[in-house]
Each structure stands twice: as C-alpha cells, then as structure tokens.
Amino acid sequence: MGNITLKAEHLSKVFNVFKAVDDICFEARRGEILGILGPNGAGKTTTVQMLLGLITPTSGYIEALGMDLARYRQKIARNVNFSSAYVNLPANLTVSENLHIFARLYDVKHPETKIEQLLDLLGLQGTQRKPAGQLSSGQQIRLNLCKALLNDPEILFLDEPTSSLDPDIADRTRQLLMSIRQERELTIIFTSHNMAEMEKISDRVLFMLQGKIIAGGRPTEVIQRYHGQSLEEVFLKLARQTKERKEGEL
Ligand SMILES: Nc1ncnc2c1ncn2[C@@H]1O[C@H](COP(=O)(O)OP(=O)(O)O)[C@@H](O)[C@H]1O
Ligand SMILES: [Mg+2]
C-alpha cells in the first residue's frame, strides 16, 4: 500500500448547534479504497464535502496530496475529482458534448484521445452522440465516472455512487472501480449505507454514526474484532451499544 494521500485530523462540522461531524480522524493511502459507511444522517456527505473543500470545517485540519487544504485548495482541486449518484450531467447535451465541456474546464491536453480512452475503459463506446439523459442508469453512472477521471485525479471521491443502481449493474460498477484503482493507483473514498457492498469493495472501512467514527479497519479485521459474521451484523451491534451508552448518560 502506498503513501498517505489524504489526512483528516480532529475534523468537525457544526450546523447551528448540531454536530454533523464530530471530531473524526483518519488517513487514506495511494491505491486504497476507503469506504465510509453509515446510515442516513451519519455525516458521510458532510465529511466528503469538507474533504473536497466545498464546505469549511468548523474545526480540524485536512491535508490532501501533502498540502494543507485550507491553503492550497485550488492546487489540490486540479488533482482530485468527484462523482455522486445525485449529481446529473446536463441531460440534453450528448455524451461527447458533456465530456468536451469538462475536458475544457479541466484544461485536458489532448481531449479527443483522453475521451476516447475513457469511453473505452468505461464501456461507453458508441454512446457519444446520445443525449446524456437517454442513457441507462448504469451508463449514466459510468458517464459520471468518465467525467471524474478526465483530469487524471489522484484522489476520487464517490458519494453513494451505486445507490440508485440495480444489483447487477452496481456489481459491475464495483468491478470497474476496483480495476481502475489498481491500474491508476488511485485513492478512492467511497461512501455508502450498503454494508454488503462495502465489504466487497473496500480495503478499509470507517463506520460513522451520529458524526463520529465508531470503528474502522479492514473489513475482515473489523468482523473478527467484534465477533460478527458480516459488516452489517457488526454495525448493528455497535449502533445498539452506542445508543445504550447514550441512554445511560441521560
Ligand atoms: N447544510 C446543512 N444544514 C443543517 N444541517 C445539515 C446540513 N447538511 C447536513 N446537515 C445534517 O447533518 C447530518 C449529516 O448529514 P449528511 O452528512 O448528509 O449525512 P449522510 O451523508 O451520512 O446521510 C444530518 O442530520 C443532516 O440533516
Ligand atoms: Mg449522504
């Protein structure tokens, strides 16, 4: 496993008085798929948005690619990218038009070649002239990934990328992500509330609950440490313990 590409130290985000992210610390390495797991409202998206520099942390420190994010946001932004199931590309523009717009935005040196290569990698050859809105849901996710790989990012953030896909297409998307990670030595930060999915794809997972990281490690280690059969079972156990502890404090 490679060197550290992303580091979060005592990261918190408070909205008014509500702690959406509560003093979390973690690192990610080159070539690693780090899964951030947790139920809706756990703080996953808020965390990703801080790591991307889209929202400012209330406190804490983020280092990406060896640089302080607060100081070198622009420089870092050139080498990271993002894809989410909830962000769609303009539906009336064709696949080719969409990708050329982003290629220009990212200042890609040889856009034609780059786009060709990525369409090939993502199995989207032949869709160039189709409006993005007419692609199947699996193709739209892959188009989003294509966009996200245009600038050859070193860190790729994926916020619930497979949550709207049917199981078969979700599985194929995961296979694709794993091969891209291997080929490009990418750091992939992947959020999901689907525990089974995370068990398959992640090198390491972080369990988030109510803004806190309540456990973390390699999926097999986490399962062993908490004497479970699956991540899902372990997570339910930990969530229950956390709830009981909270009730005990009241
Ligand atoms: N802009 C905001 N203002 C107020 N509360 C927010 C805002 N964004 C998120 N939250 C709250 O923070 C918590 C964590 O949200 P989020 O990070 O989206 O969780 P997740 O992605 O794990 O579902 C939720 O309770 C959500 O309602
Ligand atoms: Mg979310």
Side-chain angles (χ1 to χ4, degrees), residues 39-46 86 159-160 191 193:
N40 286 330
K44 305 182 296 295
T45 297
T46 307
Y86 306 111
D159 195 12
E160 309 255 4
T191 77
H193 55 258

Side-chain angles (χ1 to χ4, degrees), residues 167-178:
D168 176 45
I169 297 171
D171 193 56
R172 274 190 274 163
T173 308
R174 279 193 294 275
Q175 298 297 334
L176 186 64
L177 285 172
M178 289 194 271

Side-chain angles (χ1 to χ4, degrees), residues 28 65 127 152 154-155 164 184 187 225 239:
L65 307 171
T127 64
D152 284 321
E154 292 182 61
I155 308 174
S164 65
R184 304 185 170 222
T187 303
R225 194 180 324 140

Side-chain angles (χ1 to χ4, degrees), residues 54-95:
L54 296 175
I55 60 174
T56 313
T58 305
S59 56
Y61 173 75
I62 300 168
E63 194 176 282
L65 307 171
M67 292 174 274
D68 174 358
L69 181 67
R71 272 190 75 184
Y72 296 100
R73 189 173 166 276
Q74 300 261 334
K75 204 167 169 193
I76 293 167
R78 281 199 281 274
N79 296 302
V80 308
N81 213 317
F82 168 78
S83 169
S84 160
Y86 306 111
V87 182
N88 283 319
L89 299 173
N92 55 336
L93 297 184
T94 66
V95 166

Side-chain angles (χ1 to χ4, degrees), residues 70-234:
R71 272 190 75 184
Y72 296 100
R73 189 173 166 276
Q74 300 261 334
K75 204 167 169 193
I76 293 167
R78 281 199 281 274
N79 296 302
V80 308
N81 213 317
F82 168 78
S83 169
S84 160
Y86 306 111
V87 182
N88 283 319
L89 299 173
N92 55 336
L93 297 184
T94 66
V95 166
S96 175
E97 286 165 343
N98 264 298
L99 293 173
H100 275 95
I101 288 170
F102 279 98
R104 206 169 315 142
L105 198 68
Y106 298 150
D107 209 9
V108 173
K109 289 292 167 290
H110 303 285
E112 284 298 336
T113 325
K114 187 84 213 169
I115 290 171
E116 276 294 302
Q117 277 172 356
L118 286 175
L119 288 171
D120 218 31
L121 176 73
L122 295 167
L124 286 172
Q125 283 294 7
T127 64
Q128 286 93 321
R129 297 220 175 99
K130 272 198 182 177
Q134 281 179 25
L135 299 178
S136 69
S137 58
Q139 287 174 326
Q140 288 192 14
I141 297 285
R142 281 181 278 144
L143 175 58
N144 249 301
L145 281 173
C146 202
K147 170 243 134 190
L149 291 169
L150 271 175
N151 64 332
D152 284 321
E154 292 182 61
I155 308 174
L156 183 59
F157 293 93
L158 304 171
D159 195 12
E160 309 255 4
T162 54
S163 62
S164 65
L165 299 177
D166 73 47
D168 176 45
I169 297 171
D171 193 56
R172 274 190 274 163
T173 308
R174 279 193 294 275
Q175 298 297 334
L176 186 64
L177 285 172
M178 289 194 271
S179 65
I180 292 170
R181 177 275 303 262
Q182 202 141 33
E183 191 186 317
R184 304 185 170 222
E185 284 237 289
L186 253 176
T187 303
I188 301 182
I189 313 291
F190 188 108
T191 77
S192 174
H193 55 258
N194 180 337
M195 312 276 161
E197 162 167 280
M198 284 306 207
E199 202 169 320
K200 285 190 207 138
I201 194 176
S202 308
D203 298 305
R204 272 190 315 126
V205 292
L206 302 175
F207 274 147
M208 279 191 84
L209 188 67
Q210 295 166 358
K212 287 193 161 65
I213 294 175
I214 58 166
R218 294 186 172 276
T220 49
E221 282 168 12
V222 173
I223 292 167
Q224 262 184 7
R225 194 180 324 140
Y226 295 97
H227 310 292
Q229 298 289 323
S230 63
L231 281 184
E232 179 119 41
E233 198 190 312
V234 169

